Amino acid sequence: MFGIMDNQIVMGPVKGNFEMEILERFCTVQKGYDDFWGFVAPSNIRLGVSYAPVSKLNVGVGITKNNMLWDASAKYSIITQTKGRYPVSVTYYGDVAYDTRKDADKSIFKYQSQRLLFFNQIIIARKITDKFSVQVAPSISHQNAVNGYYTKKDSTGTATFSEMKHDHFAIAVSARYKLTNVTSVMVN
């Protein structure tokens, strides 16, 4: 599914388009040569496929190594920027994931519904000139189960337990400036 670095873009694929994705998030470079600067260290990998069965719609499935998350996604182009009619393009992107980690003693998930994670995003973009375009994408992600974490409360080192939130709001901002027909500068 078309994206800029880690974010989706407003454009959807052409009907009948099939894609296979292999995404790898490399680790930190702190161990230097021992991990070959993050390339051979433990990393997270996602394998996925997506298909556009009709115009403006893309659907996909994938699996991510961390937590063995299976996901299903959909992307639909609601409005396409049209001179004199629509000043921006608007696309919806949604994803639902299921955590398939083994949990025989139910120490991680008490209920099956706690394995579900959701992501919803509205992508708004405008091509300002032939060379410059911008995109803003507010999103909300929800996890049915969240873990807690410990923080140091004071100088004595007393630790307190805090619970993470189920919902997270974010806004991604991206811009692209086309230098030549084949070269662009992108900011994300």
Side-chain angles (χ1 to χ4, degrees):
M1 290 207 193
F2 296 90
I4 302 174
M5 296 175 216
D6 282 339
N7 292 318
Q8 292 290 320
I9 60 171
V10 78
M11 291 175 53
V14 177
K15 178 184 173 183
N17 190 49
F18 177 82
E19 292 181 350
M20 181 174 179
E21 301 171 324
I22 302 172
L23 307 171
E24 183 169 358
R25 182 171 297 265
F26 298 104
C27 291
T28 61
V29 298
Q30 288 139 340
K31 290 187 179 178
Y33 183 77
D34 290 342
D35 284 340
F36 201 68
W37 295 275
F39 282 95
V40 296
S43 60
N44 194 18
I45 297 170
R46 181 182 183 277
L47 304 173
V49 293
S50 62
Y51 179 68
V54 295
S55 179
K56 297 185 174 187
L57 175 67
N58 196 32
V59 292
V61 294
I63 186 168
T64 303
K65 177 183 159 189
N66 286 4
N67 299 338
M68 294 305 289
L69 291 175
W70 278 95
D71 69 89
S73 61
K75 184 176 181 180
Y76 184 74
S77 178
I78 301 166
I79 297 171
T80 301
Q81 182 177 337
T82 308
K83 191 173 184 175
R85 188 164 183 196
Y86 300 117
V88 296
S89 293
V90 179
T91 297
Y92 166 79
Y93 175 76
D95 187 270
V96 61
Y98 187 79
D99 190 325
T100 64
R101 283 181 288 173
K102 292 180 182 176
D103 186 29
D105 64 353
K106 297 191 183 270
S107 62
I108 303 172
F109 305 109
K110 186 174 180 181
Y111 307 104
Q112 287 297 313
S113 62
Q114 292 177 317
R115 293 177 177 270
L116 292 169
L117 301 93
F118 305 91
F119 179 80
N120 292 280
Q121 184 175 57
I122 295 292
I123 307 163
I124 305 159
R126 178 167 171 84
K127 187 174 184 179
I128 297 170
T129 68
D130 285 341
K131 292 186 172 195
F132 183 64
S133 56
V134 294
Q135 174 177 293
V136 176
S139 64
I140 181 170
S141 56
H142 174 84
Q143 299 179 59
N144 280 356
V146 294
N147 296 324
Y149 58 94
Y150 286 95
T151 57
K152 288 188 178 177
K153 187 174 184 180
D154 55 29
S155 60
T156 65
T158 303
T160 59
F161 183 79
S162 298
E163 189 171 296
M164 294 171 59
K165 296 182 177 168
H166 290 274
D167 298 314
H168 296 275
F169 297 94
I171 297 177
V173 179
S174 305
R176 175 182 178 225
Y177 185 79
K178 194 173 180 180
L179 298 172
T180 69
N181 285 337
V182 294
T183 306
S184 297
V185 174
M186 294 184 281
V187 177
N188 196 7

